[in-house]
Amino acid sequence: MLFDSVRNVKAEVFEDVFDFQSVAIASDSNSGVPLFIPRQDTSAFRNIKDGRGRNRRDPRDMISLGVLAPDGHNKIPDGFKLAIFIQRADLQNHPYVQSAQRQARGEARVIYTGPVQRRALNPGRHRPLRIGSSVGHYGISAGSIGCFCAHRDGGGIGILSNNHVLANTNKANIGDIILQPGRKDGGKRRDIDSRVATLFSFEHISFDVDARNLVDCAFANLLGGVEYDGAAAYCPTSNRQWPVKSKPVQLIAGDAVWKLGRKTARTDGFIVATDIDNVVVAMGSGTGQRLARFDNQISIECTTEHFSQGGDSGSLICASDGSPAALLFAGTERGGSTGFGLTYANPIETVLDVLNLDIHTGS
């Protein structure tokens, strides 16, 4: 199918099979496509809400839809398929999945992922601050520095990462201290040398059943005198570095990407699918775990290892030439076509527009 044809099929599945409704989006949104949420006056809404409350999730909370090239690498104009991501193996034969396959007239692929969870845990203290280094709000364990940015309305340079890394999943206050390294890696709130930034802004994550989150992101201004290197991603274990550019790029299924993060350092992979909607992510831990739905996401995998693991949250995902493409925020431990799990990321242009930032690579 053509790319737009897959988008149309995806819309039909959400409306006809899931009983979701389309919602209006702002005219300046760069999504460019309609978004869908459960209708509040339907059994779909009630079942999803009740399922989350009883920890018995409705199947619609475990099925995501996106745009996929047939083999993950094919870029022919009419070679796209509907991607059906399932978080539980027994959903393979569920009526929703079978109906989605019929709607796509066989031009669909079912991909088992396992549960989708946030990626929150390159440990160590790094001065100057470096892309991929351990970082975090003083109330969380640790995540990764994605890159460095400047606010479009002026002001200082700061750190870009996830809301759940820098803003403690909505719990933080503007002005809270950010540590490098993160607390799990030895950073201490009372240690002046661990304090590198203060929280400036974050996009609130909604856990409502009918919410449509697009990003998990936050920005923290560097404190005076804190040095940084925004022009390259540096791996201390291998003593290698890779240039990072300032201009974002939009990629499609099959494109090669790489990232440098706190847990798994440099990994290389490829984009599995784009425009993925209804990615329901488990956020938090233990009894405090909650579910949040994300739309318009990107999925990535690696053929030889995990592309990401817990602690890589906030990593910047780049094209082969170092152009920024996405912000890593969640993933699965297994599944996908390679068995190494899938990584999920927000398109970087959406992140930058929401926070009103530009990527900054100079010193």
Side-chain angles (χ1 to χ4, degrees), residues 55-72:
N55 200 26
R56 293 172 59 93
R57 295 167 64 181
D58 184 274
R60 280 165 289 214
D61 245 359
M62 294 181 283
I63 302 172
S64 309
L65 304 176
V67 180
L68 174 79
D71 60 3

Side-chain angles (χ1 to χ4, degrees), residues 12-274:
E12 292 171 1
V13 172
F14 277 129
E15 288 186 322
D16 301 339
V17 179
F18 282 33
D19 197 21
F20 285 4
Q21 65 178 346
S22 62
V23 294
I25 58 176
S27 60
D28 61 349
S29 169
N30 63 6
S31 169
V33 294
L35 299 174
F36 297 85
I37 59 174
R39 302 174 188 271
Q40 290 197 27
D41 58 348
T42 63
S43 59
F45 182 93
R46 292 190 294 272
N47 290 342
I48 293 173
K49 184 176 182 179
D50 291 345
R52 292 186 185 183
R54 293 182 289 110
N55 200 26
R56 293 172 59 93
R57 295 167 64 181
D58 184 274
R60 280 165 289 214
D61 245 359
M62 294 181 283
I63 302 172
S64 309
L65 304 176
V67 180
L68 174 79
D71 60 3
H73 299 279
N74 194 334
K75 299 181 183 180
I76 60 176
D78 60 350
F80 294 96
K81 288 187 177 184
L82 177 70
I84 306 172
F85 298 96
I86 55 175
Q87 295 191 35
R88 220 173 55 203
D90 61 2
L91 291 174
Q92 172 81 36
N93 298 315
H94 193 280
Y96 292 154
V97 174
Q98 294 178 337
S99 295
Q101 290 175 303
R102 286 195 297 270
Q103 293 273 39
R105 298 181 180 179
E107 295 296 309
R109 178 178 156 204
V110 180
I111 302 172
Y112 168 61
T113 68
V116 184
Q117 299 177 317
R118 66 178 189 172
R119 291 305 203 203
L121 268 181
N122 246 36
R125 185 186 302 272
H126 293 156
R127 301 294 184 274
L129 302 183
R130 298 184 183 276
I131 290 171
S133 299
S134 171
V135 75
H137 182 273
Y138 64 79
I140 70 127
S141 53
S144 301
I145 293 177
C147 61
F148 299 94
C149 293
H151 201 276
R152 292 170 181 170
D153 292 337
I157 307 303
I159 296 167
L160 176 66
S161 190
N162 295 140
N163 171 323
H164 75 259
V165 172
L166 297 182
N168 196 10
T169 315
N170 301 338
K171 296 177 184 177
N173 296 310
I174 301 302
D176 277 0
I177 289 294
I178 305 301
L179 306 176
Q180 200 296 309
R183 184 164 55 88
K184 186 178 179 67
D185 298 319
K188 294 179 175 59
R189 185 181 179 186
R190 295 182 178 179
D191 177 15
I192 192 170
D193 291 331
S194 296
R195 300 181 178 192
V196 297
T198 56
L199 182 63
F200 180 82
S201 63
F202 62 92
E203 180 70 0
H204 182 86
I205 296 173
S206 176
F207 295 91
D208 295 337
V209 172
D210 56 349
R212 50 186 184 92
N213 298 292
L214 297 179
V215 291
D216 174 358
C217 60
F219 176 67
N221 273 337
L222 294 178
L223 295 174
V226 175
E227 297 182 344
Y228 64 97
D229 178 4
Y234 171 76
C235 182
T237 56
S238 64
N239 198 31
R240 294 182 62 192
Q241 63 181 18
W242 300 268
V244 173
K245 298 183 178 181
S246 59
K247 186 176 180 179
V249 64
Q250 290 185 350
L251 303 180
I252 63 172
D255 284 338
V257 293
W258 60 271
K259 75 97 185 67
L260 185 73
R262 168 196 170 272
K263 179 69 174 181
T264 56
R266 162 84 186 226
T267 53
D268 295 83
F270 63 91
I271 293 179
V272 177
T274 61

